Amino acid sequence: NFISNTTNIDVFIAIGGGSAIDMAKGLAVLNSNDGKFTNFLNFNQTGLKLTETLQMIESSSSGAKQI
């Protein structure tokens, strides 16, 4: 595996906006499946294993307004 050659990762935690969430999802795919990251650039792949992810969205552009 790309990441877990020396560690045992059970969950990825992402706190932030879209970039943090996307990074956690990408790392989860790489951690759970063999191969180079370029093998997973096709957006229509199915049947991939995925390490659990916990996503907490924190963004100033979430539509909240201050009055």
Side-chain angles (χ1 to χ4, degrees):
N1 290 343
F2 175 75
I3 298 167
S4 62
N5 284 336
T6 58
T7 60
N8 186 13
I9 298 172
D10 295 323
V11 64
F12 286 96
I13 299 174
I15 302 172
S19 296
I21 303 294
D22 291 343
M23 178 63 80
K25 291 187 290 187
L27 291 172
V29 169
L30 290 175
N31 186 58
S32 302
N33 298 278
D34 292 327
K36 298 179 182 180
F37 75 93
T38 53
N39 296 346
F40 305 105
L41 295 179
N42 180 354
F43 294 103
N44 294 320
Q45 292 187 15
T46 59
L48 293 176
K49 295 181 240 171
L50 186 64
T51 303
E52 294 289 331
T53 59
L54 173 63
Q55 303 167 5
M56 299 174 66
I57 300 171
E58 177 65 32
S59 177
S60 61
S61 62
S62 63
K65 294 183 180 181
Q66 287 184 324
I67 297 177

